[in-house]
Amino acid sequence: MTTLFPTLNNKNSAVALIENNVLITYSDLNEKIDRFAKGLLGSESDLNEERVAFFIPASEDYVTTLHGIWRAGGIAVPLNVASAVTELDHYLKSANVTRMIASGKYKESLKELCSELEVELIDAQEILNRSQHKDLPAIDQSRRAMMLFTSGTTSKPKGVVSTHAIISSQITTLIDAWEWTSSDVVPLFLPLHHIHGIINILSCGLWSGATIDLYQNFDITRVCASVAAENYNVFMAVPTIYVKLIQHICKLPSSEKDRICAGFSSMRLNISGSAACPVKLFNEWKALTSQTLLERYGMTEIGMGISNPYHGERRPGHVGQALPGVDIQLFDDEDNLIDAENLAGEIRVQGDNVFLEYWDNASATEESFIDGWFCTGDVAVLDNGYYRIMGRSSIDIIKSGGYKLSALEIEGTLLTHENILEVAVLGTPDETWGEAVTAFVVLKSASKLDYQDLKNWCDGRMSAYKVPKILHIVESLPRNAMGKVTKVNLKDCQ
Ligand code: MLC
Ligand code: AMP
């Protein structure tokens, strides 16, 4: 039997998960995963990298499904439960998904799509009930384990594939760097279709034998109550969450505010990542909670690459230094390595943490590597020994509240609106979201469109967080001599 995680064994009576105040031990979880893997295998001896998707919010079922697929030899494809069902079509088709696991209202919402695509839709409980007495396959670490979708500059998201070995490397690097132990208790309110939630919190926690308190969404009142009760000693979030926490806490009566701040202050670690943490936010958080945020930099394709130190100076506005085992270099536009400080270049990465491939997309995989270095598209400088992120090489990537969004994907959907003739989407600076999705629209003649109409129309056509926050109706879009829209010029049109 293969158990990827050393702590998932029958003798471990420590609490792995808390779901709605119910405590689930490591040994119970292990037993359930085993049963699930055997049920999933049915008459087969190995799933042989079958793509099994699941549409499950953070729960014991989610963890059982993820690990069950791994133990049965499949590739886990966790999907965003906040997706519009229309977006799932692309994920299922491009990953050649054969089975989908979901329950309750989530299962209901997928019936039509799965039947259309001939994907078998199964309830997690049904799999657990299929009693099977059989051995689980031995899984070589070099086998594919997980596919996460990421937005690129092209219009449709790509499946980022990692092996068991890559996942192990991403996890163990962080456990060492941030000194995870079995005494840690961490809340998990981030979505579980991205590495921040899956690797940095869920997997590092489970691998260390820590306890993870599961949330189905970011319930700020519940989070603050648990922090005030000193339930947690580690906290990981995106900058938007720290902004929202500050706004929320500062409106509370002082006794409540003080208890929450004391709860944060007593923790051993508060981490910010997935988007830039402004210096102002870093300072405000420190003033409020006395916590010095540890900012780190990562990406779906590499896990975490750069981090401020657990011990030592955590420098505001900087993401720190290469994590042990991760090679980071900056390269200029001519692909020359930059070996001086304060010169901006693209961050490129090598190491056991780097993904295997984009699923079924050899050309995209090849294009994303130069001389064996993965090209992130992020630009940074080395500033007195610490990396500072300067921005991205593409204006078509937007980071909103920690989600990476493709401007072209949003434009593609907006162009199907009957009143829209042309559209350009870009991210504009926003205190809460980091960047706000902003649409510049040219209307068809004699057409009208106000913001609320557009928002209503987007409902069900794209995930809610992709819906433009700002709409500008313009006469025309600026173009260069080649006829290409020059989005940089739109930044001045607001
Ligand atoms: C929610 N909304 C957003 C949004 N999230 N709008 C823009 N950007 C976002 N990220 C909108 C909703 O559509 C809704 O709009 C309103 O805000 C309230 O929605 P909500 O769901 O109640 O919001 P909330 O729970 O507060 O969500 C905010 C959030 C969430 C920050 C908790 O966005 C989130 O979990 N972000 C983290 C994403 C993440 O994990 N990224 C890591 C990727 S991995 P309306 O108009 O309908 O009211 C990666 C690598 C690395 O980046 O380095 O980690
Ligand atoms: P994703 O592709 O969703 O995994 O998002 C990865 C991207 O998030 C990176 O390529 C960066 O652009 C951004 N990112 C992650 N962490 C940071 C950070 N600390 N500062 C700035 N950008 C970040």
Side-chain angles (χ1 to χ4, degrees), residues 149-151 194-196 239 272-277 295-301 303-304 306 318-319 376-378 389 391-392 397 399 402-405:
F149 281 90
T150 190
S151 299
H194 279 312
I195 48 160
H196 195 157
S272 172
S274 300
C277 175
E295 185 175 4
R296 84 326 176 260
Y297 161 89
M299 193 175 183
T300 307
E301 287 89 336
M304 295 303 108
I306 308 176
H318 294 70
V319 290
T376 62
D378 291 309
I389 310 285
R392 278 182 296 277
I397 294 289
K399 261 274 161 168
Y403 281 119
K404 182 177 185 178
L405 311 177

Side-chain angles (χ1 to χ4, degrees), residues 191 194 244 274 296 298 399-403 433 455 464-465 469:
H194 279 312
K244 286 179 174 246
S274 300
R296 84 326 176 260
K399 261 274 161 168
S400 171
Y403 281 119
W433 301 108
K455 193 165 183 280
Y465 52 81
K469 293 264 187 275

Side-chain angles (χ1 to χ4, degrees), residues 4 10 48 76 155 183 224 250 255 349-350 420 437:
L4 179 66
N10 286 323
N48 287 314
S155 67
S183 319
C224 286
C250 289
S255 60
V349 188
Q350 278 187 344
I420 294 179
V437 175

Side-chain angles (χ1 to χ4, degrees), residues 247-314:
Q247 288 166 351
H248 176 81
I249 296 169
C250 289
K251 282 192 209 130
L252 295 172
S254 63
S255 60
E256 211 176 321
K257 176 181 169 188
D258 291 349
R259 279 190 297 117
I260 298 167
C261 291
F264 277 111
S265 163
S266 69
M267 293 189 198
R268 71 169 185 88
L269 184 59
N270 285 184
I271 296 186
S272 172
S274 300
C277 175
V279 174
K280 179 170 170 260
L281 178 60
F282 178 100
N283 289 335
E284 281 175 5
W285 191 250
K286 187 161 190 170
L288 192 65
T289 64
S290 75
Q291 278 285 346
T292 307
L293 282 173
L294 183 156
E295 185 175 4
R296 84 326 176 260
Y297 161 89
M299 193 175 183
T300 307
E301 287 89 336
I302 65 161
M304 295 303 108
I306 308 176
S307 173
N308 274 282
Y310 184 64
H311 299 286
E313 184 200 2
R314 297 179 194 165

